C-alpha cells in the first residue's frame, strides 16, 4: 500500500542499520512474551539472542529474524505452571531435536502445499493480531492491580507521538534512504519523549506512572506490578483482551495489600541489565533424567516443534514473495532446531521466526544474514551494557513502527477479491484470518486452511469424473473414462455403469483418467464383482504406468491379467480363455473378480 517493501540493494550498511532497528523493536516483544510464559524477562531476551543469532548464521532464509514468540510462549505456560521452570528447558531442547529431524528428512518442502488463499488469510490475520497486540502498550496498572487503558493527557500525548512516528516512516524515504526510516523515527521520538518527561508535570501522567510518556522501563514496571498483584490475589486473572476479571471470593486480597505488593516492585528488580547467559543446570535444579520426565515434556516438545516450523516456513514463504528470492525450507528447519537446542541448554524459552520483526528488517533494507546477526548481538549488548538507555525508548515509537508494519503487511487487495476469485477460496482465506485473530494461533490456522482447501479440491474433482460410451466392431461396450478415480469420486464412478443391461464384454478405457488410491482399486474390484455376478467380463485398457504399479502393489486384492501382447509374454494361471487383443490396440487388463479380495 505504501511501497514499504520496495526492492533495495543488499549492502553492509543497510544490514547493520536494519539490524539495530530490529533489535530495538525486539526488546518489548521478548519481554512481553516472557511475562506471558511466566518466566523472567531476561530469559526472553536471552532466547531472542540465541534463536536470532544461530538462525541468522545457519538458517535457510537470509534477512529473516527469529526470536522468542508468543505462539511458543502460549504452549509452555501450562508446563511452567504445573511442573516448574526446570522442565521448560528439556522441552525446548527436545523440540530442537525434533526440528532437526524434520529438516534432515527433507519435510520442509511440504510448505509448498500451502495454497495461496491460506497464505493470504495467514498474512491478513497476522496483521490484525499485530495491530491488536499494540493496544496493550496503551495500558497502565490500576490501584486494584489490573491493567486498564490510559486516560487523559498522557493518552493524547502518546497518540500524537505514535502519529509522528508513522509520519516519519512514511515521509523520510521520500527525502533520503541513507538511514532506515524506522530507526530514524525511533531516535527522533525518543529524543522528544526525553524532553517531555523532563519538562512536563508528573500530574499529567497516567495512573501509577511516574512519567508522562511511557517508556520501555515503564512497561517493565507495569507488567511486573500486574504480575505481583495477580500472585497475591488469585481472583485476578487476565482475559483474552487483557482486561482484568475479578471474581468475588472471601480469599481476595484487599486493595491495601495489592498496593503494598506493587510498591515492592522497583526499577532495579525489573531492569533489563544482566550478565552473560549460563547453562540452565547451573542456575536451576536439573529434573530427573527418567522416562516419566520424557513423557511430561514430549507432548510440549512436539507442539513447540510443529508451531515453530509452521510459523518459520510461512514467514520464509512470505519473505520469498517480498524479496523475489527463494529460501531453503529444509535448511531453515535444521537451523531452527539447532537454535532451540542451544537456547534450551542456556536456559531459554525457545522461539521461531518472528514475522513482524522480519518485515521491519525487510522494510529497513535488511537482506543478508548480517542483519539478523546484528540484531542478536545488539540484544546481548543491551542486556550487558545498554539497559538504562534502552529503557528510555518510548513505547509510542515502537507502537508506531508496528502500526506501519501492519499497514504494509495487510493484503488490501484481498478486500476486493470477493467477486473475482472462487467463493471457496475466499471462504478459506476468511477462515484462516478469522481463526488467527480469534485464537491467536497461527500454526493451527494454517493447518485448518490447508485441510479446508484439500477438502474443497477433493469435492470439486470428485464431480469431474465421467464416461463416453461407444461400441466396437466385436460388440464390446467401451466406457471412455474422464477424470480422476480416487476416494471422493468412487461413488460417481460406480453410478456410470449398468452391469444388468451391458453386453457380455465390457471395456473400461483409462486413457484419460488415473487410479490414485486404494479406494479406486476397491471401486474397480466392486464393479468387477457386479459384472461377474451378471455373467459378464470386464477389461481395463490404457492403464498408465502409475496405475499398473498401483494394481501390482495391491497383490491379491485385485488380480489383473495381461492379454496377448505382440511384444511381451506374461504367464497367467487363469483357466478361461482371454480376450484376443487386436494388434492396433494397447494391451488390455482383465480384472478377475472371482479371486479379488
Amino acid at each position: 500500500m505504501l511501497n514499504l517493501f520496495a526492492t533495495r540493494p543488499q549492502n553492509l550498511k543497510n544490514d547493520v542499520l536494519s539490524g539495530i532497528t530490529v533489535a530495538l523493536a525486539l526488546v518489548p516483544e521478548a519481554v512481553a512474551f516472557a511475562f506471558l510464559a511466566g518466566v523472567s524477562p531476561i530469559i526472553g531476551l536471552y532466547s531472542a539472542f540465541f534463536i536470532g543469532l544461530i538462525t541468522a548464521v545457519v538458517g535457510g532464509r537470509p534477512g529473516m529474524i527469529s526470536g522468542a514468540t508468543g505462539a511458543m510462549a502460549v504452549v509452555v505456560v501450562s508446563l511452567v505452571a504445573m511442573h516448574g521452570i526446570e522442565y521448560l528447558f528439556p522441552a525446548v531442547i527436545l523440540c530442537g531435536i525434533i526440528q532437526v529431524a524434520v529438516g534432515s528428512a527433507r519435510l520442509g518442502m511440504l510448505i509448498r502445499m500451502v495454497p495461496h488463499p491460506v497464505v493470504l488469510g495467514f498474512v491478513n490475520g497476522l496483521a490484525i493480531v499485530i495491530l491488536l497486540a499494540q493496544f496493550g502498550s496503551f495500558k497502565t496498572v490500576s490501584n486494584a492491580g489490573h491493567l486498564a487503558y490510559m486516560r487523559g493527557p498522557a493518552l493524547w500525548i502518546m497518540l500524537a507521538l505514535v502519529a509522528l512516528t508513522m509520519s516519519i516512516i512514511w515521509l523520510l524515504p521520500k527525502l533520503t534512504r541513507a538511514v532506515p526510516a524506522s530507526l530514524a523515527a525511533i531516535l527522533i521520538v525518543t529524543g522528544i519523549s526525553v524532553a517531555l518527561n523532563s519538562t512536563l508535570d508528573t500530574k499529567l501522567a497516567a495512573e501509577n506512572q511516574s512519567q508522562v510518556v511511557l517508556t520501555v522501563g515503564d512497561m517493565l514496571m507495569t507488567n511486573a506490578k500486574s504480575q505481583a498483584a495477580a500472585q497475591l490475589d488469585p481472583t485476578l486473572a487476565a482475559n483474552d483482551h487483557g482486561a482484568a476479571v475479578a471474581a468475588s471470593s472471601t480469599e481476595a486480597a484487599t486493595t491495601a495489600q495489592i498496593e503494598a505488593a506493587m510498591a515492592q516492585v522497583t526499577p532495579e528488580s525489573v531492569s533489563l541489565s544482566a550478565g552473560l547467559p549460563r547453562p540452565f543446570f547451573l542456575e536451576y535444579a536439573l529434573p530427573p533424567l527418567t522416562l516419566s520426565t520424557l513423557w511430561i515434556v514430549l507432548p510440549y516438545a512436539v507442539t513447540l516443534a510443529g508451531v515453530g516450523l509452521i510459523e518459520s516456513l510461512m514467514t520464509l514463504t512470505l519473505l520469498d514473495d517480498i524479496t523475489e528470492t527463494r529460501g531453503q525450507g529444509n535448511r531453515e528447519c535444521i537451523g531452527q532446531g539447532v537454535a532451540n537446542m542451544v537456547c534450551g541448554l542456556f536456559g531459554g524459552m525457545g522461539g521461531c521466526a518472528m514475522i513482524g520483526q522480519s518485515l521491519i528488517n525487510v522494510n529497513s533494507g535488511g537482506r543478508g544474514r548480517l542483519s539478523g546477526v546484528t540484531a542478536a548481538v545488539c540484544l546481548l549488548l543491551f542486556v550487558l551494557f545498554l539497559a538504562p538507555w534502552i529503557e528510555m525508548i518510548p513505547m509510542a515509537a515502537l507502537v508506531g513502527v508496528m502500526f506501519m508494519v501492519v499497514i504494509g503487511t495487510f493484503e488490501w487487495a484481498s478486500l476486493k477479491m470477493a467477486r473475482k476469485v472462487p467463493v471457496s477460496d475466499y471462504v478459506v482465506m476468511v477462515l484462516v484470518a478469522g481463526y488467527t485473530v480469534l485464537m491467536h494461533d497461527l500454526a493451527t490456522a494454517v493447518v485448518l486452511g490447508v485441510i479446508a482447501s484439500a477438502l474443497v479440491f477433493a469435492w470439486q474433482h470428485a464431480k469431474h469424473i465421467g464416461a463416453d460410451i461407444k461400441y466396437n466392431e466385436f460388440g464390446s461396450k467401451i466406457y471412455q473414462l474422464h477424470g480422476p478415480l480416487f476416494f471422493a469420486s468412487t461413488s460417481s464412478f460406480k453410478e456410470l455403469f449398468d452391469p444388468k443391461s451391458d453386453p457380455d464384454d465390457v471395456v473400461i478405457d483409462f486413457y484419460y483418467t488415473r487410479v490414485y488410491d486404494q479406494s479406486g482399486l476397491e471401486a474397480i474390484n466392486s464393479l468387477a464383482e457386479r459384472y461377474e455376478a451378471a455373467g459378464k467380463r470386464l477389461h481395463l485398457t490404457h492403464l498408465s504406468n502409475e496405475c499398473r504399479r498401483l494394481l501390482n502393489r495391491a497383490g491379491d486384492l485385485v488380480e489383473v491379467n495381461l492379454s496377448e501382447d505382440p511384444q511381451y509374454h506374461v504367464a497367467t494361471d487363469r483357466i478361461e480363455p482371454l480376450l484376443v487383443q487386436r494388434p492396433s490396440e494397447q494391451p488390455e487388463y482383465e480384472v478377475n473378480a472371482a479371486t479379488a479380495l
Side-chain angles (χ1 to χ4, degrees):
M1 181 180 181
L2 300 178
N3 199 25
L4 295 178
F5 307 114
T7 302
R8 300 179 186 179
Q10 177 182 343
N11 57 56
L12 189 67
K13 184 203 72 173
N14 286 346
D15 283 348
V16 171
L17 293 179
S18 63
I20 296 173
T21 306
V22 169
L24 295 175
L26 259 174
V27 172
E29 298 255 344
V31 170
F33 296 146
F35 278 115
L36 176 62
V39 299
S40 167
I42 300 300
I43 291 180
L45 292 173
Y46 283 158
S47 302
F49 163 70
F50 283 113
I51 299 292
L53 178 64
I54 296 174
T55 55
V57 174
V58 302
R61 172 71 254 185
M64 189 165 76
I65 304 299
S66 298
T69 60
M72 299 188 74
V74 170
V75 175
V76 301
V77 170
S78 58
L79 175 64
V80 174
M82 295 171 58
H83 302 283
I85 194 173
E86 61 270 14
Y87 282 82
L88 168 63
F89 312 124
V92 174
I93 295 174
L94 183 56
C95 160
I97 295 174
I98 295 173
Q99 290 177 328
V100 170
V102 170
S104 301
R106 306 187 64 81
L107 298 180
M109 66 179 65
L110 295 178
I111 196 64
R112 301 175 189 172
M113 297 178 60
V114 178
H116 189 62
V118 176
V119 176
L120 284 181
F122 174 82
V123 169
N124 290 346
L126 169 72
I128 298 174
V129 168
I130 294 176
L131 174 67
L132 297 177
Q134 304 315 305
F135 294 142
S137 299
F138 292 89
K139 291 182 178 181
T140 184
V141 63
S142 67
N143 291 329
H146 62 261
L147 297 175
Y149 285 105
M150 300 164 52
R151 297 180 181 179
L155 174 61
W156 295 107
I157 292 174
M158 185 171 181
L159 290 174
L161 292 177
V162 169
L164 176 61
T165 302
M166 297 175 67
S167 300
I168 294 174
I169 296 175
W170 178 35
L171 297 174
L172 185 61
K174 301 179 183 298
L175 302 177
T176 178
R177 292 186 179 270
V179 180
S182 299
L183 179 60
I186 292 174
L187 295 177
I188 292 173
V189 175
T190 298
I192 295 174
S193 68
V194 170
L196 291 176
N197 282 332
S198 61
T199 57
L200 293 178
D201 191 344
T202 56
K203 294 181 180 179
L204 300 176
E207 184 180 6
N208 285 318
Q209 299 295 339
S210 59
Q211 300 185 109
V212 178
V213 180
L214 295 184
T215 63
V216 171
D218 296 326
M219 181 267 295
L220 291 170
M221 289 287 293
T222 297
N223 288 334
K225 289 180 178 180
S226 176
Q227 193 175 53
Q231 291 176 351
L232 180 64
D233 188 350
T235 62
L236 286 174
N239 63 13
D240 293 339
H241 303 283
V245 179
S248 58
S249 172
T250 57
E251 299 179 356
T254 64
T255 302
Q257 291 174 324
I258 293 176
E259 290 179 350
M262 293 192 298
Q264 294 178 359
V265 179
T266 61
E268 293 76 16
S269 63
V270 296
S271 174
L272 297 179
S273 181
L276 289 171
R278 304 171 62 192
F280 77 92
F281 50 81
L282 299 179
E283 299 283 345
Y284 304 93
L286 188 67
L289 302 178
T290 61
L291 283 177
S292 60
T293 300
L294 176 62
W295 293 125
I296 290 174
V297 302
L298 182 60
Y300 294 96
V302 172
T303 304
L304 286 172
V307 169
L309 290 182
I310 290 176
E311 288 209 25
S312 298
L313 293 176
M314 289 298 296
T315 306
L316 182 145
T317 302
L318 180 60
L319 294 187
D320 283 354
D321 293 339
I322 293 175
T323 61
E324 297 181 353
T325 57
R326 183 172 179 179
Q328 304 174 52
N330 294 314
R331 179 175 175 179
E332 183 62 31
C333 293
I334 295 175
Q336 291 287 336
V338 173
N340 277 305
M341 291 166 61
V342 176
C343 179
L345 179 63
F346 283 89
M349 56 183 284
C352 61
M354 305 183 72
I355 303 181
Q357 309 305 324
S358 298
L359 294 176
I360 291 177
N361 187 46
V362 173
N363 178 30
S364 301
R367 294 293 187 273
R369 298 185 183 275
L370 183 60
S371 59
V373 173
T374 301
V377 172
C378 286
L379 273 180
L380 185 61
L381 293 177
F382 294 164
V383 173
L384 297 178
F385 308 111
L386 305 175
W389 294 89
I390 299 303
E391 292 170 7
M392 295 171 59
I393 297 176
M395 293 302 299
L398 302 178
V399 170
V401 170
M402 297 309 296
F403 278 169
M404 293 302 287
V405 168
V406 170
I407 294 175
T409 303
F410 193 88
E411 192 70 31
W412 299 97
S414 63
L415 299 177
K416 301 179 180 179
M417 287 183 180
R419 298 182 180 180
K420 299 181 180 179
V421 299
V423 175
S424 59
D425 287 349
Y426 201 80
V427 170
V428 169
M429 183 188 73
V430 174
L431 171 66
V432 174
Y435 189 91
T436 301
V437 173
L438 294 177
M439 305 304 295
H440 291 198
D441 188 347
L442 301 176
T444 304
V446 172
V447 173
L448 288 177
V450 172
I451 293 174
S453 297
L455 292 176
V456 170
F457 177 85
W459 175 257
Q460 291 175 343
H461 282 70
K463 299 183 296 184
H464 291 169
I465 192 166
D468 296 330
I469 300 175
K470 57 185 178 180
Y471 294 87
N472 61 16
E473 61 270 29
F474 301 102
S476 299
K477 186 175 183 180
I478 301 175
Y479 288 88
Q480 178 73 65
L481 289 182
H482 298 271
L485 179 55
F486 66 114
F487 66 92
S489 61
T490 55
S491 297
S492 300
F493 169 78
K494 295 176 182 178
E495 294 174 357
L496 298 174
F497 304 93
D498 187 6
K500 294 182 179 180
S501 304
D502 284 346
D504 291 339
D505 274 326
V506 176
V507 179
I508 302 179
D509 192 340
F510 284 84
Y511 188 83
Y512 297 107
T513 192
R514 294 293 182 271
V515 182
Y516 285 100
D517 56 13
Q518 195 270 336
S519 296
L521 294 179
E522 172 59 27
I524 295 174
N525 179 76
S526 175
L527 187 64
E529 290 178 343
R530 291 168 59 192
Y531 275 102
E532 184 179 25
K536 301 172 183 179
R537 301 176 64 192
L538 181 66
H539 308 271
L540 311 180
T541 66
H542 291 132
L543 283 169
S544 67
N545 292 330
E546 294 81 1
C547 295
R548 294 173 192 169
R549 287 196 294 266
L550 193 61
L551 289 169
N552 290 334
R553 284 199 301 267
D556 58 359
L557 293 180
V558 178
E559 182 179 323
V560 180
N561 294 315
L562 186 62
S563 301
E564 293 182 7
D565 189 329
Q567 296 179 353
Y568 303 95
H569 301 280
V570 180
T572 176
D573 58 359
R574 292 181 58 84
I575 298 177
E576 61 269 31
L578 298 174
L579 180 69
V580 177
Q581 175 196 335
R582 294 188 303 278
S584 60
E585 289 189 352
Q586 180 179 338
E588 296 179 349
Y589 291 86
E590 181 177 338
V591 178
N592 182 2
T595 59
L597 292 183

